[in-house]
Amino acid sequence: MSEAVSGAVAERFKELYGDGPEGVWVAPGRVNLIGEHTDYNDGFVMPFALPHITVAAVSRREDGVLRLHSADIEAGVAELRLDALAPQSDSDWTAYPAGVVWALREAGHQVTGADVHLTSTVPTGAGLSSSAALEVVVALALNDLFSLGLKGWQLARLCQRAENVYVGAPTGIMDQTASACCEAGHALFLDTRDLSQQQIPFDLAAEGMRLLVVDTQVKHAHSDGEYGKRRTGCERGAALLGVDALRDVPYADLDAALERLGDEEEVRRLVRHIVTENHRVEKVVSLLESGDTRAIGPVLVKGHASLRDDFRISCPELDLVVDTALAAGALGARMTGGGFGGSAIVLAETADVDTITKAMEEAFAAADFTAPRVFEAVPSAGARRVR
């Protein structure tokens, strides 16, 4: 982030609140290479941070007041009392930063108020974790300003609690951990059970490849019923199989586990996706560590088929991206994110990017879909202070 941009954000803060901020922080959105819906099943995921960021200029207050402003929303400064914050009391965008303050205070941290000005380049509703970036940037700023001493993974846990309990969206831990902990030039191999992490080098450009994000422009909302249904179904599967979470079902024992579920067809499909998806994450890690990066393409394709056919969270636009990209020569492609819209990723040789992009744009036009937004995903740095 350039000094000019952070300076402009700080200047806007001064216009809003009468004085300059104590600091400016950023937190990125993320794209998930592989490992979808495994995070709330204690499984494995492999996201990396995007260059798209949410920026927060913040100062402390001592009077129990939280003032919030977003440059991206046509509204004035929202003013909230900390002692009045309560779970699911707010259906506006302010629930995300307010939920972080609530979660910090619920955990016993002395946060006495803040003035916050926000702006973001993370696309909303595209499955790229705009909400997690918003939560993490506020959490990091307050952590620094109030000298709370929390590590990235701890901030991620508190942000997840804010989204689960305060906002009411049953998301897993991956998005917040990716935003807080990713490193530039790497994908994050994360065990969501214990939050152990391994930074896996992921420099596609050096190997003559690119990873494209294709935003279908189909918006989704995680707090609606479908996401929750999948989570409840996974929990039912774990209970029927007598395990703490579906992560505990070994890939080698999958057929036997499905047999035990009998005629619970919907649960069988969910279990099959989670168990095979965890296996796919481990496969991708192994391939990247061995230097066989191009071989991850077919693994991505299998992941999409599982999300489409077993988890049933794809949509016509996402399927069109995958099918068209593969037909145009892509090495691999799959939907990414929570599903029901959002984005897909496409792994391609650098020389084929223009051809594949054109094919996808033409396919969307022929189907009378809104034109997709296509951009390169470059593994970038996690949340940090910039001013």
Side-chain angles (χ1 to χ4, degrees):
M1 182 182 184
S2 71
E3 179 66 24
V5 173
S6 65
V9 172
E11 186 60 33
R12 179 58 176 143
F13 181 99
K14 185 175 181 179
E15 293 173 4
L16 290 164
Y17 299 119
D19 201 358
E22 292 184 74
V24 178
W25 291 259
V26 301
R30 67 95 188 97
V31 67
N32 193 23
L33 181 62
I34 193 74
E36 222 63 78
H37 288 264
T38 50
D39 57 346
Y40 55 80
N41 288 284
D42 283 0
F44 305 125
V45 294
M46 200 173 187
F48 61 87
L50 291 168
H52 304 72
I53 53 174
T54 295
V55 186
V58 186
S59 286
R60 288 168 289 184
R61 298 179 65 94
E62 306 295 333
D63 58 358
V65 171
L66 175 64
R67 294 197 293 182
L68 301 166
H69 180 266
S70 172
D72 309 307
I73 296 171
E74 294 183 3
V77 175
E79 185 169 312
L80 306 170
R81 294 285 315 176
L82 300 191
D83 56 11
L85 298 180
Q88 300 186 48
S89 61
D90 186 353
S91 60
D92 205 353
W93 71 271
T94 51
Y96 293 92
V100 169
V101 175
W102 171 85
L104 285 167
R105 286 165 58 85
E106 281 285 300
H109 301 292
Q110 298 302 308
V111 176
T112 56
D115 288 336
V116 182
H117 168 59
L118 297 149
T119 186
S120 183
T121 60
V122 184
T124 59
L128 303 176
S129 299
S130 58
S131 60
L134 172 54
E135 293 156 0
V136 169
V137 76
V138 171
L140 180 60
L142 297 176
N143 182 58
D144 288 354
L145 290 175
F146 288 96
S147 301
L148 303 181
L150 298 171
K151 298 185 183 301
W153 67 267
Q154 294 172 306
L155 293 176
R157 282 285 193 210
L158 287 165
C159 289
Q160 183 199 18
R161 177 166 169 75
E163 189 153 353
N164 288 174
V165 180
Y166 195 93
V167 178
T171 56
I173 190 65
M174 173 182 67
D175 296 351
Q176 293 86 356
T177 307
S179 187
C181 301
C182 278
E183 295 181 4
H186 293 76
L188 179 68
F189 177 36
L190 174 67
D191 182 334
T192 64
R193 170 163 282 169
D194 60 13
L195 294 192
S196 58
Q197 304 174 19
Q198 183 180 353
Q199 301 285 346
I200 307 295
F202 192 55
D203 185 1
L204 292 175
E207 299 186 58
M209 288 176 285
R210 296 289 188 272
L211 190 76
L212 304 177
V213 173
V214 185
D215 178 4
T216 65
Q217 310 278 1
V218 177
K219 303 301 182 184
H220 65 91
H222 276 177
S223 55
D224 68 11
E226 292 302 318
Y227 187 100
K229 287 178 184 177
R230 301 309 188 278
R231 184 164 186 161
T232 299
C234 289
E235 291 168 353
R236 174 169 171 75
L240 289 171
L241 293 170
V243 294
D244 291 336
L246 293 182
R247 166 337 184 357
D248 297 312
V249 179
Y251 178 72
D253 297 344
L254 176 58
D255 288 344
L258 296 177
E259 188 78 19
R260 288 173 58 195
L261 292 171
D263 59 0
E264 293 267 0
E265 183 54 36
E266 183 175 354
V267 175
R268 283 165 54 92
R269 288 190 287 99
L270 299 178
V271 169
R272 182 164 52 230
H273 168 71
I274 298 302
V275 176
T276 58
E277 187 77 347
N278 278 321
H279 182 67
R280 282 186 286 272
V281 176
E282 293 179 303
K283 179 67 172 176
V284 167
V285 171
S286 176
L287 290 168
L288 291 179
E289 289 184 328
S290 68
D292 196 5
T293 305
R294 283 173 174 79
I296 74 172
V299 185
L300 303 183
V301 176
K302 290 179 179 178
H304 183 77
S306 183
L307 290 163
R308 181 193 64 213
D309 300 336
D310 278 340
F311 231 64
R312 299 189 181 181
I313 58 170
S314 190
C315 66
E317 291 86 351
L318 289 167
D319 292 341
L320 185 60
V321 170
V322 172
D323 294 343
T324 304
L326 293 174
L331 297 167
R334 74 173 190 90
M335 62 154 286
T336 187
F340 312 107
S343 299
I345 56 173
V346 176
L347 179 67
E349 303 284 358
T350 299
D352 295 335
V353 165
D354 289 345
T355 299
I356 293 168
T357 300
K358 181 180 179 182
M360 292 187 297
E361 291 171 346
E362 290 177 347
F364 268 58
D368 201 26
F369 292 153
T370 300
R373 178 178 179 232
V374 183
F375 59 91
E376 183 181 352
V378 180
S380 301
R384 60 208 183 271
R385 187 171 186 165
V386 295
R387 187 182 181 91

Tab-separated table of all heavy atoms in Angstrom, residues 240-280:
chain	number	residue	atom	x	y	z
A	240	LEU	N	-23.650	-39.375	13.628
A	240	LEU	CA	-24.046	-40.720	13.226
A	240	LEU	C	-22.842	-41.658	13.134
A	240	LEU	O	-22.972	-42.869	13.385
A	240	LEU	CB	-24.762	-40.661	11.874
A	240	LEU	CG	-26.162	-40.041	11.878
A	240	LEU	CD1	-26.675	-39.847	10.455
A	240	LEU	CD2	-27.133	-40.903	12.674
A	241	LEU	N	-21.682	-41.092	12.799
A	241	LEU	CA	-20.475	-41.911	12.666
A	241	LEU	C	-19.698	-42.010	13.978
A	241	LEU	O	-18.673	-42.701	14.042
A	241	LEU	CB	-19.573	-41.341	11.567
A	241	LEU	CG	-20.146	-41.440	10.144
A	241	LEU	CD1	-19.295	-40.645	9.167
A	241	LEU	CD2	-20.250	-42.894	9.708
A	242	GLY	N	-20.158	-41.307	15.001
A	242	GLY	CA	-19.523	-41.397	16.312
A	242	GLY	C	-18.163	-40.737	16.400
A	242	GLY	O	-17.292	-41.184	17.160
A	243	VAL	N	-17.964	-39.644	15.629
A	243	VAL	CA	-16.688	-38.918	15.676
A	243	VAL	C	-16.948	-37.475	16.078
A	243	VAL	O	-18.058	-36.965	15.952
A	243	VAL	CB	-15.969	-38.957	14.301
A	243	VAL	CG1	-15.542	-40.378	13.965
A	243	VAL	CG2	-16.848	-38.385	13.193
A	244	ASP	N	-15.905	-36.819	16.571
A	244	ASP	CA	-16.052	-35.425	16.988
A	244	ASP	C	-16.329	-34.510	15.803
A	244	ASP	O	-17.074	-33.538	15.912
A	244	ASP	CB	-14.781	-34.952	17.707
A	244	ASP	CG	-14.599	-35.622	19.060
A	244	ASP	OD1	-15.616	-36.075	19.640
A	244	ASP	OD2	-13.458	-35.704	19.532
A	245	ALA	N	-15.704	-34.791	14.687
A	245	ALA	CA	-15.887	-33.997	13.468
A	245	ALA	C	-15.558	-34.882	12.275
A	245	ALA	O	-14.865	-35.897	12.404
A	245	ALA	CB	-14.985	-32.767	13.479
A	246	LEU	N	-16.033	-34.497	11.081
A	246	LEU	CA	-15.794	-35.328	9.897
A	246	LEU	C	-14.314	-35.412	9.551
A	246	LEU	O	-13.902	-36.331	8.836
A	246	LEU	CB	-16.596	-34.793	8.717
A	246	LEU	CG	-18.117	-34.923	8.855
A	246	LEU	CD1	-18.811	-34.401	7.602
A	246	LEU	CD2	-18.516	-36.367	9.134
A	247	ARG	N	-13.509	-34.532	10.064
A	247	ARG	CA	-12.063	-34.613	9.901
A	247	ARG	C	-11.539	-35.959	10.422
A	247	ARG	O	-10.507	-36.463	9.960
A	247	ARG	CB	-11.461	-33.440	10.641
A	247	ARG	CG	-10.021	-33.267	10.997
A	247	ARG	CD	-9.053	-34.162	11.148
A	247	ARG	NE	-7.735	-33.927	11.559
A	247	ARG	CZ	-7.066	-32.845	11.851
A	247	ARG	NH1	-7.634	-31.667	11.784
A	247	ARG	NH2	-5.831	-32.882	12.227
A	248	ASP	N	-12.241	-36.555	11.354
A	248	ASP	CA	-11.774	-37.789	11.990
A	248	ASP	C	-12.112	-39.047	11.198
A	248	ASP	O	-11.764	-40.154	11.624
A	248	ASP	CB	-12.368	-37.892	13.395
A	248	ASP	CG	-11.895	-36.768	14.298
A	248	ASP	OD1	-10.677	-36.505	14.339
A	248	ASP	OD2	-12.748	-36.125	14.944
A	249	VAL	N	-12.778	-38.899	10.055
A	249	VAL	CA	-13.061	-40.048	9.195
A	249	VAL	C	-11.903	-40.200	8.209
A	249	VAL	O	-11.718	-39.352	7.330
A	249	VAL	CB	-14.381	-39.871	8.420
A	249	VAL	CG1	-14.645	-41.073	7.520
A	249	VAL	CG2	-15.542	-39.650	9.381
A	250	PRO	N	-11.087	-41.258	8.323
A	250	PRO	CA	-9.950	-41.425	7.406
A	250	PRO	C	-10.426	-41.633	5.968
A	250	PRO	O	-11.456	-42.280	5.723
A	250	PRO	CB	-9.237	-42.675	7.940
A	250	PRO	CG	-9.711	-42.828	9.351
A	250	PRO	CD	-11.115	-42.311	9.359
A	251	TYR	N	-9.654	-41.108	5.032
A	251	TYR	CA	-9.988	-41.277	3.622
A	251	TYR	C	-10.078	-42.759	3.256
A	251	TYR	O	-10.973	-43.166	2.502
A	251	TYR	CB	-8.933	-40.570	2.770
A	251	TYR	CG	-9.145	-40.709	1.291
A	251	TYR	CD1	-10.176	-40.040	0.651
A	251	TYR	CD2	-8.292	-41.517	0.519
A	251	TYR	CE1	-10.372	-40.159	-0.716
A	251	TYR	CE2	-8.472	-41.645	-0.843
A	251	TYR	CZ	-9.514	-40.967	-1.458
A	251	TYR	OH	-9.707	-41.095	-2.814
A	252	ALA	N	-9.191	-43.566	3.815
A	252	ALA	CA	-9.179	-44.999	3.511
A	252	ALA	C	-10.435	-45.701	4.013
A	252	ALA	O	-10.790	-46.778	3.514
A	252	ALA	CB	-7.945	-45.653	4.120
A	253	ASP	N	-11.127	-45.104	4.988
A	253	ASP	CA	-12.321	-45.714	5.570
A	253	ASP	C	-13.620	-45.102	5.043
A	253	ASP	O	-14.696	-45.354	5.585
A	253	ASP	CB	-12.297	-45.560	7.100
A	253	ASP	CG	-11.123	-46.296	7.728
A	253	ASP	OD1	-10.520	-47.145	7.046
A	253	ASP	OD2	-10.808	-45.997	8.895
A	254	LEU	N	-13.521	-44.276	3.994
A	254	LEU	CA	-14.695	-43.554	3.521
A	254	LEU	C	-15.825	-44.489	3.091
A	254	LEU	O	-16.985	-44.293	3.464
A	254	LEU	CB	-14.316	-42.624	2.365
A	254	LEU	CG	-15.480	-41.876	1.699
A	254	LEU	CD1	-16.236	-41.016	2.709
A	254	LEU	CD2	-14.969	-41.028	0.536
A	255	ASP	N	-15.523	-45.506	2.307
A	255	ASP	CA	-16.576	-46.404	1.819
A	255	ASP	C	-17.316	-47.065	2.980
A	255	ASP	O	-18.554	-47.165	2.964
A	255	ASP	CB	-15.980	-47.463	0.894
A	255	ASP	CG	-15.549	-46.893	-0.446
A	255	ASP	OD1	-15.975	-45.770	-0.772
A	255	ASP	OD2	-14.769	-47.559	-1.153
A	256	ALA	N	-16.571	-47.483	3.982
A	256	ALA	CA	-17.194	-48.118	5.139
A	256	ALA	C	-18.070	-47.121	5.895
A	256	ALA	O	-19.165	-47.464	6.371
A	256	ALA	CB	-16.122	-48.679	6.064
A	257	ALA	N	-17.601	-45.872	5.987
A	257	ALA	CA	-18.381	-44.843	6.675
A	257	ALA	C	-19.685	-44.563	5.936
A	257	ALA	O	-20.758	-44.439	6.549
A	257	ALA	CB	-17.555	-43.565	6.806
A	258	LEU	N	-19.615	-44.482	4.615
A	258	LEU	CA	-20.824	-44.231	3.828
A	258	LEU	C	-21.809	-45.389	3.963
A	258	LEU	O	-23.034	-45.188	4.006
A	258	LEU	CB	-20.451	-44.013	2.358
A	258	LEU	CG	-19.594	-42.774	2.069
A	258	LEU	CD1	-19.229	-42.715	0.597
A	258	LEU	CD2	-20.300	-41.502	2.494
A	259	GLU	N	-21.276	-46.589	4.040
A	259	GLU	CA	-22.134	-47.767	4.222
A	259	GLU	C	-22.886	-47.674	5.552
A	259	GLU	O	-24.080	-48.003	5.636
A	259	GLU	CB	-21.258	-49.027	4.189
A	259	GLU	CG	-22.039	-50.328	4.172
A	259	GLU	CD	-22.608	-50.668	2.799
A	259	GLU	OE1	-22.124	-50.116	1.787
A	259	GLU	OE2	-23.536	-51.480	2.744
A	260	ARG	N	-22.211	-47.208	6.576
A	260	ARG	CA	-22.829	-47.100	7.890
A	260	ARG	C	-23.948	-46.065	7.915
A	260	ARG	O	-24.862	-46.153	8.732
A	260	ARG	CB	-21.773	-46.731	8.937
A	260	ARG	CG	-20.809	-47.862	9.275
A	260	ARG	CD	-19.700	-47.362	10.181
A	260	ARG	NE	-20.212	-46.778	11.418
A	260	ARG	CZ	-19.502	-46.022	12.246
A	260	ARG	NH1	-18.235	-45.743	11.940
A	260	ARG	NH2	-20.037	-45.553	13.345
A	261	LEU	N	-23.891	-45.086	7.012
A	261	LEU	CA	-24.916	-44.034	6.989
A	261	LEU	C	-26.204	-44.492	6.323
A	261	LEU	O	-27.206	-43.773	6.361
A	261	LEU	CB	-24.362	-42.786	6.286
A	261	LEU	CG	-23.253	-42.053	7.046
A	261	LEU	CD1	-22.636	-40.973	6.176
A	261	LEU	CD2	-23.786	-41.454	8.337
A	262	GLY	N	-26.178	-45.656	5.701
A	262	GLY	CA	-27.393	-46.253	5.144
A	262	GLY	C	-28.096	-45.364	4.151
A	262	GLY	O	-27.493	-44.875	3.190
A	263	ASP	N	-29.391	-45.113	4.384
A	263	ASP	CA	-30.192	-44.368	3.411
A	263	ASP	C	-30.208	-42.863	3.680
A	263	ASP	O	-31.026	-42.139	3.129
A	263	ASP	CB	-31.629	-44.908	3.387
A	263	ASP	CG	-32.316	-44.801	4.745
A	263	ASP	OD1	-31.683	-44.313	5.699
A	263	ASP	OD2	-33.499	-45.207	4.837
A	264	GLU	N	-29.305	-42.401	4.516
A	264	GLU	CA	-29.180	-40.949	4.774
A	264	GLU	C	-28.436	-40.308	3.597
A	264	GLU	O	-27.287	-39.869	3.716
A	264	GLU	CB	-28.421	-40.712	6.082
A	264	GLU	CG	-29.148	-41.157	7.318
A	264	GLU	CD	-29.955	-40.025	7.928
A	264	GLU	OE1	-29.935	-38.912	7.380
A	264	GLU	OE2	-30.616	-40.278	8.956
A	265	GLU	N	-29.108	-40.215	2.441
A	265	GLU	CA	-28.424	-39.854	1.209
A	265	GLU	C	-27.819	-38.444	1.261
A	265	GLU	O	-26.690	-38.232	0.820
A	265	GLU	CB	-29.378	-39.956	0.020
A	265	GLU	CG	-28.724	-39.661	-1.327
A	265	GLU	CD	-27.484	-40.513	-1.592
A	265	GLU	OE1	-27.460	-41.691	-1.189
A	265	GLU	OE2	-26.530	-39.987	-2.200
A	266	GLU	N	-28.560	-37.490	1.780
A	266	GLU	CA	-28.030	-36.127	1.835
A	266	GLU	C	-26.801	-36.064	2.733
A	266	GLU	O	-25.787	-35.444	2.380
A	266	GLU	CB	-29.086	-35.153	2.339
A	266	GLU	CG	-28.601	-33.706	2.347
A	266	GLU	CD	-29.695	-32.721	2.725
A	266	GLU	OE1	-30.850	-33.139	2.876
A	266	GLU	OE2	-29.372	-31.529	2.869
A	267	VAL	N	-26.852	-36.699	3.871
A	267	VAL	CA	-25.709	-36.723	4.776
A	267	VAL	C	-24.540	-37.460	4.134
A	267	VAL	O	-23.379	-37.057	4.269
A	267	VAL	CB	-26.088	-37.360	6.125
A	267	VAL	CG1	-24.865	-37.507	7.032
A	267	VAL	CG2	-27.162	-36.535	6.823
A	268	ARG	N	-24.815	-38.532	3.426
A	268	ARG	CA	-23.758	-39.288	2.733
A	268	ARG	C	-22.999	-38.385	1.765
A	268	ARG	O	-21.763	-38.427	1.689
A	268	ARG	CB	-24.358	-40.477	1.972
A	268	ARG	CG	-24.743	-41.662	2.853
A	268	ARG	CD	-25.648	-42.634	2.081
A	268	ARG	NE	-25.066	-43.064	0.828
A	268	ARG	CZ	-24.316	-44.161	0.678
A	268	ARG	NH1	-24.053	-44.938	1.726
A	268	ARG	NH2	-23.838	-44.506	-0.492
A	269	ARG	N	-23.720	-37.575	1.022
A	269	ARG	CA	-23.074	-36.682	0.055
A	269	ARG	C	-22.170	-35.676	0.756
A	269	ARG	O	-21.047	-35.403	0.318
A	269	ARG	CB	-24.126	-35.952	-0.780
A	269	ARG	CG	-24.842	-36.828	-1.797
A	269	ARG	CD	-25.680	-35.999	-2.753
A	269	ARG	NE	-26.896	-35.463	-2.137
A	269	ARG	CZ	-27.031	-34.225	-1.665
A	269	ARG	NH1	-26.016	-33.378	-1.734
A	269	ARG	NH2	-28.166	-33.834	-1.135
A	270	LEU	N	-22.663	-35.095	1.850
A	270	LEU	CA	-21.873	-34.109	2.581
A	270	LEU	C	-20.607	-34.747	3.159
A	270	LEU	O	-19.516	-34.170	3.079
A	270	LEU	CB	-22.712	-33.487	3.697
A	270	LEU	CG	-23.970	-32.723	3.264
A	270	LEU	CD1	-24.727	-32.207	4.477
A	270	LEU	CD2	-23.616	-31.575	2.324
A	271	VAL	N	-20.772	-35.932	3.737
A	271	VAL	CA	-19.617	-36.635	4.313
A	271	VAL	C	-18.593	-36.958	3.227
A	271	VAL	O	-17.380	-36.755	3.413
A	271	VAL	CB	-20.068	-37.920	5.025
A	271	VAL	CG1	-18.877	-38.801	5.390
A	271	VAL	CG2	-20.890	-37.575	6.272
A	272	ARG	N	-19.068	-37.438	2.082
A	272	ARG	CA	-18.141	-37.793	0.997
A	272	ARG	C	-17.337	-36.564	0.559
A	272	ARG	O	-16.121	-36.650	0.333
A	272	ARG	CB	-18.915	-38.382	-0.181
A	272	ARG	CG	-18.005	-38.828	-1.339
A	272	ARG	CD	-18.746	-39.737	-2.299
A	272	ARG	NE	-19.997	-39.151	-2.726
A	272	ARG	CZ	-21.192	-39.803	-2.699
A	272	ARG	NH1	-21.255	-41.058	-2.300
A	272	ARG	NH2	-22.290	-39.213	-3.116
A	273	HIS	N	-17.995	-35.416	0.443
A	273	HIS	CA	-17.251	-34.226	0.034
A	273	HIS	C	-16.181	-33.862	1.057
A	273	HIS	O	-15.022	-33.616	0.685
A	273	HIS	CB	-18.164	-33.019	-0.175
A	273	HIS	CG	-17.367	-31.745	-0.303
A	273	HIS	ND1	-16.608	-31.466	-1.411
A	273	HIS	CD2	-17.136	-30.737	0.591
A	273	HIS	CE1	-15.955	-30.322	-1.222
A	273	HIS	NE2	-16.260	-29.863	-0.010
A	274	ILE	N	-16.536	-33.793	2.319
A	274	ILE	CA	-15.582	-33.345	3.335
A	274	ILE	C	-14.375	-34.274	3.412
A	274	ILE	O	-13.221	-33.818	3.455
A	274	ILE	CB	-16.261	-33.215	4.708
A	274	ILE	CG1	-17.366	-32.160	4.670
A	274	ILE	CG2	-15.222	-32.880	5.784
A	274	ILE	CD1	-16.909	-30.777	4.264
A	275	VAL	N	-14.610	-35.576	3.418
A	275	VAL	CA	-13.503	-36.532	3.546
A	275	VAL	C	-12.599	-36.483	2.317
A	275	VAL	O	-11.368	-36.479	2.433
A	275	VAL	CB	-14.042	-37.954	3.791
A	275	VAL	CG1	-12.897	-38.961	3.819
A	275	VAL	CG2	-14.823	-38.006	5.107
A	276	THR	N	-13.194	-36.442	1.136
A	276	THR	CA	-12.368	-36.386	-0.075
A	276	THR	C	-11.683	-35.028	-0.224
A	276	THR	O	-10.568	-34.943	-0.735
A	276	THR	CB	-13.189	-36.693	-1.337
A	276	THR	OG1	-14.270	-35.757	-1.450
A	276	THR	CG2	-13.745	-38.099	-1.301
A	277	GLU	N	-12.316	-33.963	0.234
A	277	GLU	CA	-11.714	-32.631	0.128
A	277	GLU	C	-10.488	-32.510	1.037
A	277	GLU	O	-9.469	-31.933	0.638
A	277	GLU	CB	-12.744	-31.553	0.470
A	277	GLU	CG	-12.271	-30.129	0.227
A	277	GLU	CD	-12.276	-29.686	-1.232
A	277	GLU	OE1	-12.415	-30.555	-2.128
A	277	GLU	OE2	-12.134	-28.482	-1.484
A	278	ASN	N	-10.574	-33.043	2.231
A	278	ASN	CA	-9.386	-33.056	3.092
A	278	ASN	C	-8.235	-33.799	2.411
A	278	ASN	O	-7.076	-33.376	2.470
A	278	ASN	CB	-9.709	-33.718	4.436
A	278	ASN	CG	-10.368	-32.762	5.409
A	278	ASN	OD1	-10.020	-31.597	5.485
A	278	ASN	ND2	-11.336	-33.267	6.167
A	279	HIS	N	-8.558	-34.907	1.761
A	279	HIS	CA	-7.541	-35.675	1.039
A	279	HIS	C	-6.961	-34.848	-0.106
A	279	HIS	O	-5.738	-34.895	-0.366
A	279	HIS	CB	-8.172	-36.961	0.501
A	279	HIS	CG	-7.224	-37.862	-0.229
A	279	HIS	ND1	-6.179	-38.514	0.391
A	279	HIS	CD2	-7.148	-38.201	-1.552
A	279	HIS	CE1	-5.522	-39.232	-0.503
A	279	HIS	NE2	-6.076	-39.050	-1.681
A	280	ARG	N	-7.810	-34.074	-0.784
A	280	ARG	CA	-7.322	-33.240	-1.890
A	280	ARG	C	-6.370	-32.156	-1.379
A	280	ARG	O	-5.376	-31.839	-2.054
A	280	ARG	CB	-8.503	-32.620	-2.644
A	280	ARG	CG	-9.187	-33.595	-3.599
A	280	ARG	CD	-10.252	-32.914	-4.442
A	280	ARG	NE	-11.460	-32.610	-3.687
A	280	ARG	CZ	-12.485	-33.447	-3.539
A	280	ARG	NH1	-12.446	-34.662	-4.080
A	280	ARG	NH2	-13.560	-33.077	-2.864
